[in-house]
Amino acid sequence: MLAFLARRLCFAAFLVFAVSSGALVLARLAPGDFATADLGVRAQSAEAGRLRSRYGLDRPLGAQYAEWLSRAARFDFGESMLYGRPVRDLIPERAANTAVLALAALAVATLIGLPLGVITGSGRGGLPAAIIRAGSVALLSAPPLLTSLFLVFLAARTRLLPVGGMGGSTGAAGGALADFVRHLIVPAAALALPLAAMFERLQSQAMSETIAQRFVLAALARGIPWPRVLWRGAFKAALRPVASVYGIVVGTLLSGSFAVEIITSWPGLGRLMLDALRYRDVYLVAGCAAAGAVFLAIGTLMSDVALALVDPRTQE
Amino acid sequence: MTRHTRNLAAFFLAVLALGAAWAGVRRASNAAATRVGAPSDPGVRPTGVPRGGELVVSIRTEPVTFNRFVKGDSSTDLVSNLLNAKLVRINRATQEVEPWLAERWTRSDDGLRYTLKLREGVVFSDGHPFTADDVLFSFAAAADEAGGSVLAGALHAGGGTPEFTAPDPLTVVMTLSEPFAPGVRILDNVPILPRHRLQPALASATLASVWGLDTPPGDLAGLGPFVLAEYLPGQRLIFTRNPSYFVRDADGAALPYLDRLVVRVIPDQDAELLALEAGDIDMTTSEVRPEDYAPLKRAADAGKITLLDLGVGYDADAMWFNLRPGAFDGDPRASWIQRDELRQAITMAIDRKVFADTVYLGAGVPVYGPITPANRLWYAAEAPQPRYDPAAAKALIESIAGGQPVRFSLLVPKGRTAIERAGAVIRDELKKIGVTVDVVALDGAALVQRVAGPSPRFDAAYFSLYASDTDPAINPDFWLSSGTAHVWNMMQTTPATSWERQIDELFAKQAASSDEGERHRLFADIQKIFAAHQPVLYFVAPRVFVASSSRVAHVEPGLTRPQLLWAPDRVAVSPARAARPER
């Protein structure tokens, strides 16, 4: 197990290095730079020259990259041109917000999607199963951007939930944590609903294949009640497909959260990266990409662990 | 339950528990890290305007610093206007200069010296007295380009940057190297900072790195109407009344009227308007998009919000060609693409009524130059206004193209719906006269790189060009051939054309003249020359609409951003509805 974890950590370190380096190089090669983005048509002024000189944008890409790399080795990822703050200070505060959102969405999607998948995949769901299937297809068809807009619209019209932001005001009714949870509902639901639909579809497919297997028939023949066969034996056996995509889902949540964070004013990594890209803040782009790679690595690790839990054969 | 199922359940529960626990820790640490005590209410109660309450406004991008001297974006500027005061303030509703920290001023007969008397008894929010030394310090910091100041350009007056001296603690003298008609108007560009706090940073050329967003709110000291109480990154800034603020209203009551002002960061404009309709915010800090007018009008009719029509805006989006000499060397289009006739044909070929209806959904008026009718003081109605005449436009095109196909690309910024629609209208209208336009949408930085980079590579562009002031003398960057915003051919060492040389000369004269009538005549001449050569094409100026909640009781709308919050000390909320609905 230790060797397995060591391999995974090495892979994660390589992933972070490759992704952040690639992001920095691509952002630097993209047309325009921080001075053009910041100063607009006055990008040839003396002020633009000073900005380029201050952030090394007037140096060749190779020299800039080499310097960034040598500093990154000492965990100094440079200074954000946009915010004038060290990247290593900016990333954790935003990445943590994204992690909370992603974890909440993942938990909600899992708790909703898997049981519904069991119901629709059992073949005995009747009309409710058909409605769930239709709902899943509809949610899968809608991009997170649309789901977010709809939920924000719903929140605005019903006035039941805050329209956006992260809340946490100490003066709010019920305290800061309750206020935070109320603000979390809309963005988490926007991310969780399409994900729950995906889990439902995967689990449903796996269930319908599992219950056709002979061990299910044998269990029923031994007189074990159908619900017990379904929710214990078949459910566990059908979990493998969902567990195997968990890691990818974490990565997807990060990228999918870009749109959701913008629409719902959630101050996460997605919003930060969008601003960084728009302003060609190359060090911040590299930092955000590195954080994304860390998310992906953690997700992959979670996926492997989950898979090992539901299918002991993978440990061999 | 089998061992594996139990393990799986435990795994999911652990994920949930970790998330919830982290959330709690995060909220608690945020609150602990940035909270400071709110200042007490001075206890003055005016009789005229409602006092107290909280106003919530939205911005779409977060400020990048609390130091206005190093960044000039709209959010940083808004925050600076809450925290700081200036010597004078341009009233955005009337465009007149009004006293602020300077209570009066005089000008010498030769127009070179302005003597400003400062208010007595003014103190910073930390209690330190304000004197002329703070003014000298602030203008020295503004002029310190090497230290990272972005305000140096805003202080250019005629031949150079003014000199500031202080004969006594309550007097400041501004001396110009040559007469400059706008005079003290340029002082609206520089907030006054506390010398006692920031002098070491200026001395060590590190002013650019002070007062970043990680500065504890208690370390900021200003002369503005509010003090920062709390900042939550990416979410909001909470300001409370500055009890030391020096301005009083006509009733003699201390301003500001509000107890609290919350600035929320809402990046998406759709979400911003939904928040306004839902009552989560009281006002936005920018104008309403044309496509949002109809739903907001319905909300206004239902009594949920107030929608204000402020009339025609000062700025219109503009189209221009690359007129840099040699830009099309070796290109077969070189014989016609930079000629005046092409631009004259285009301005005749665009049906401005169709343009206004399609791009601004009817809420716009035709314009023919950079000065719109909104700028009543400087608009020259007598400048030529070409009529819509596609047949004449087509004949003009044929006369210069000599049978060649007329085709060019038009760069537009991606994601700006009105501008993208405008690109489509230009393409469709010009197609009718046989001109093919390839509209290319690029993101902002890429577009600027193509248009204003070291070696501009573009045929034509359609973009927003904002003037920094309604007085043309304060916008030399656009008008002068040496200007950095002279977009069609920037930063010329000597004027490339005789008409640009003529504009340069007239501009210098009008900026230096102390005779307002002469200034207007000279600037009307400039507008006529501009209209004759059309280096930049203007089609329609949009009407400006702004929306606020019906709680907002006392605003003086201006046409420039933030239209309703340019004087935050004078904004109030209705007492009957001061309490926000509990959400």
Side-chain angles (χ1 to χ4, degrees):
Chain A
M1 192 64 178
L2 278 176
F4 169 78
L5 281 175
R7 274 201 310 275
R8 281 289 167 209
L9 286 174
C10 285
F11 170 71
F14 173 73
L15 191 70
V16 171
F17 164 73
V19 169
S20 53
S21 296
L24 185 133
V25 170
L26 288 174
R28 180 72 160 76
L29 290 176
D33 61 12
F34 178 68
T36 57
D38 194 42
L39 300 175
V41 294
R42 290 177 173 83
Q44 282 191 63
S45 61
E47 186 188 341
R50 278 191 297 276
L51 276 179
R52 291 190 177 104
S53 169
R54 178 177 172 190
Y55 294 111
L57 300 176
D58 51 358
R59 299 169 61 198
L61 171 61
Q64 192 186 8
Y65 176 67
E67 190 193 332
W68 175 81
L69 205 58
S70 71
R71 293 168 70 175
R74 302 189 299 273
F75 293 98
D76 173 4
F77 301 101
E79 181 187 328
S80 162
M81 303 168 198
L82 187 56
Y83 292 98
R85 289 177 59 193
V87 169
R88 69 176 171 201
D89 292 349
L90 275 168
I91 297 289
E93 68 189 28
R94 300 300 177 96
N97 293 342
T98 294
V100 170
L101 180 60
L103 284 175
L106 192 64
V108 170
T110 307
L111 293 174
I112 294 174
L114 294 189
L116 292 182
V118 173
I119 293 167
T120 53
S122 67
R124 297 185 185 184
L127 183 62
I131 294 170
I132 291 167
R133 267 195 296 274
S136 291
V137 171
L139 282 170
L140 276 174
S141 320
L145 177 77
L146 213 61
T147 320
S148 320
L149 270 175
F150 173 72
L151 288 172
V152 167
F153 176 78
L154 208 63
R157 281 286 174 273
T158 60
R159 302 196 174 199
L160 290 173
L161 290 167
V163 171
M166 207 166 130
S169 168
T170 46
L177 185 59
D179 189 44
F180 171 73
V181 171
R182 279 157 46 77
H183 281 81
L184 179 63
I185 292 173
V186 168
L191 276 179
L193 288 178
L195 199 58
M198 186 180 83
F199 285 165
E200 186 277 321
R201 290 289 74 215
L202 281 173
Q203 186 67 18
S204 178
Q205 180 77 15
M207 281 301 288
S208 53
E209 285 169 12
T210 304
I211 58 173
Q213 288 182 19
R214 274 181 283 185
F215 82 88
V216 174
L217 195 62
L220 288 172
R222 285 201 297 275
I224 301 172
W226 169 246
R228 192 169 163 185
V229 171
L230 187 69
W231 289 101
R232 289 198 176 177
F235 174 59
K236 191 192 79 179
L239 272 177
R240 195 172 189 278
V242 173
S244 62
V245 299
Y246 236 68
I248 301 162
V249 161
V250 172
T252 314
L253 269 179
L254 185 74
S255 56
S257 70
F258 276 49
V260 173
E261 286 178 6
I262 299 293
I263 304 287
T264 62
S265 314
W266 188 267
L269 202 57
R271 242 173 71 184
L272 192 69
M273 180 126 180
L274 189 69
D275 287 341
L277 282 169
R278 195 185 292 157
Y279 278 88
R280 302 288 192 273
D281 188 344
V282 291
Y283 304 130
L284 192 54
V285 168
C288 289
V294 169
F295 269 88
L296 195 64
I298 292 171
T300 312
L301 193 64
M302 280 168 62
S303 174
D304 289 344
V305 173
L307 202 56
L309 290 171
V310 296
D311 188 352
R313 287 171 298 179
T314 56
Q315 292 179 18
E316 292 165 6
Chain B
M1 187 183 274
T2 66
R3 180 171 59 88
H4 294 304
T5 314
R6 276 198 304 273
N7 287 343
L8 188 64
F11 171 71
F12 287 135
L13 284 173
V15 168
L16 270 174
L18 273 173
W22 186 91
V25 169
R26 176 97 189 121
R27 307 309 318 134
S29 67
N30 265 346
T34 54
R35 183 164 306 285
V36 296
S40 59
D41 188 288
V44 184
R45 291 286 180 273
T47 54
V49 180
R51 190 179 175 85
E54 175 188 271
L55 181 80
V56 182
V57 306
S58 64
I59 51 177
R60 288 208 294 282
T61 55
E62 205 174 347
V64 291
T65 174
F66 297 125
N67 183 352
R68 175 63 182 85
F69 281 57
V70 293
K71 284 285 178 188
D73 63 282
S74 58
S75 297
T76 302
D77 192 51
L78 174 73
V79 169
S80 174
N81 282 337
L82 298 174
L83 296 174
N84 303 303
K86 302 165 185 172
L87 291 181
V88 302
R89 172 159 63 182
I90 295 173
N91 184 316
R92 263 61 180 180
T94 63
Q95 289 302 320
E96 296 294 321
V97 179
E98 52 182 47
W100 205 355
L101 283 163
E103 61 181 354
R104 61 183 188 278
W105 54 87
T106 55
R107 188 178 71 171
S108 63
D109 291 340
D110 60 3
L112 294 177
R113 276 165 58 93
Y114 288 82
T115 304
L116 298 103
K117 289 306 242 183
L118 307 181
R119 289 173 193 264
E120 263 188 277
V122 174
V123 295
F124 283 91
S125 56
D126 62 357
H128 198 278
F130 158 71
T131 69
D133 284 345
D134 296 300
V135 177
L136 300 190
F137 164 76
S138 299
F139 285 103
D144 183 23
E145 289 186 279
S149 169
V150 297
L151 295 177
L155 271 180
H156 276 293
T161 305
E163 279 182 20
F164 292 87
T165 51
D168 66 65
L170 290 177
T171 306
V172 171
V173 177
M174 175 173 81
T175 307
L176 307 169
S177 55
E178 58 188 67
F180 183 61
V184 295
R185 204 173 172 88
I186 56 168
L187 302 180
D188 175 72
N189 293 326
V190 179
I192 302 302
L193 298 182
R195 180 180 181 275
H196 63 282
R197 294 267 183 137
L198 299 174
Q199 173 63 34
L202 180 64
S204 58
T206 56
L207 196 69
S209 58
V210 299
W211 284 9
L213 291 182
D214 49 355
T215 308
D219 288 359
L220 304 173
L223 294 161
F226 294 93
V227 291
L228 183 67
E230 188 176 5
Y231 165 56
L232 292 173
Q235 299 182 60
R236 59 176 176 265
L237 303 101
I238 299 173
F239 298 87
T240 52
R241 176 203 306 274
N242 174 7
S244 307
Y245 187 56
F246 56 93
V247 179
R248 292 180 175 272
D249 71 3
D251 295 339
L255 296 183
Y257 293 118
L258 298 166
D259 287 337
R260 250 163 75 101
L261 196 150
V262 178
V263 179
R264 271 187 57 187
V265 184
I266 305 181
D268 182 69
Q269 201 164 358
D270 296 314
E272 191 179 36
L273 293 179
L274 282 170
L276 180 67
E277 284 189 55
D280 279 5
I281 59 172
D282 292 308
M283 66 169 72
T284 64
T285 46
S286 57
E287 62 279 6
V288 168
R289 291 175 302 192
E291 53 269 36
D292 295 326
Y293 175 77
L296 286 175
K297 180 75 171 62
R298 283 196 294 275
D301 291 343
K304 290 182 187 172
I305 61 160
T306 303
L307 186 61
L308 298 172
D309 179 357
L310 306 186
V312 182
Y314 288 125
D315 299 299
D317 296 330
M319 174 181 173
W320 67 92
F321 282 83
N322 183 353
L323 299 186
R324 216 176 173 81
F328 295 92
D329 283 354
D331 189 320
R333 302 173 302 168
S335 61
W336 53 262
I337 199 163
Q338 294 184 314
R339 288 182 65 165
D340 289 1
E341 291 87 340
L342 174 66
R343 303 188 299 278
Q344 285 158 356
I346 289 172
T347 198
M348 282 194 290
I350 302 289
D351 184 343
R352 286 170 167 77
K353 169 87 171 60
V354 169
F355 197 101
D357 289 347
T358 310
V359 178
Y360 300 113
L361 310 182
V365 300
V367 289
Y368 303 86
I371 308 298
T372 75
N375 192 345
R376 282 187 286 274
L377 209 54
W378 295 101
Y379 176 67
E382 66 272 31
Q385 299 187 349
R387 68 192 189 289
Y388 172 56
D389 189 346
K394 189 171 184 179
L396 202 51
I397 291 284
E398 285 167 357
S399 73
I400 59 167
Q404 275 189 53
V406 176
R407 181 173 191 155
F408 61 85
S409 63
L410 179 69
L411 305 184
V412 297
K414 206 173 198 163
R416 300 270 302 276
T417 50
I419 287 186
E420 288 185 7
R421 282 199 299 269
V425 172
I426 293 168
R427 181 193 60 209
D428 295 347
E429 291 288 295
L430 295 189
K431 193 176 176 184
K432 293 177 191 168
I433 60 164
V435 174
T436 306
V437 180
D438 302 308
V439 179
V440 181
L442 296 174
D443 88 314
L447 187 145
V448 171
Q449 177 71 13
R450 292 277 296 274
V451 170
S455 49
R457 288 176 298 108
F458 71 106
D459 296 344
Y462 185 84
F463 201 35
S464 305
L465 295 173
Y466 296 113
S468 54
D469 196 286
T470 52
D471 189 322
I474 296 184
N475 300 307
D477 278 357
F478 175 80
W479 294 103
L480 294 180
S481 60
S482 57
T484 52
H486 194 75
V487 287
W488 60 95
N489 183 11
M490 294 176 184
M491 301 171 72
Q492 302 169 38
T493 45
T494 53
T497 62
S498 58
W499 57 267
E500 282 174 290
R501 182 184 299 279
Q502 209 180 344
I503 287 181
D504 283 0
E505 289 165 3
L506 290 171
F507 190 89
K509 277 186 196 165
Q510 73 83 28
S513 173
S514 56
D515 178 344
E516 282 299 299
E518 188 191 12
R519 285 191 73 203
H520 284 99
R521 279 193 300 279
L522 290 167
F523 192 62
D525 289 345
I526 290 174
Q527 290 181 74
K528 285 177 200 163
I529 296 169
F530 196 92
H533 296 278
Q534 298 276 332
V536 182
L537 302 164
Y538 293 85
F539 305 116
V540 170
R543 297 186 74 82
V544 177
F545 295 93
V546 288
S548 70
S549 78
S550 43
R551 297 174 67 244
V552 180
H554 190 246
V555 289
E556 301 162 73
L559 275 173
T560 50
R561 295 178 190 174
Q563 288 88 356
L564 301 179
L565 205 62
W566 61 267
D569 49 347
R570 305 208 284 249
V571 175
V573 290
S574 166
R577 310 176 70 173
R580 303 186 58 73
E582 189 57 59
R583 301 293 304 268

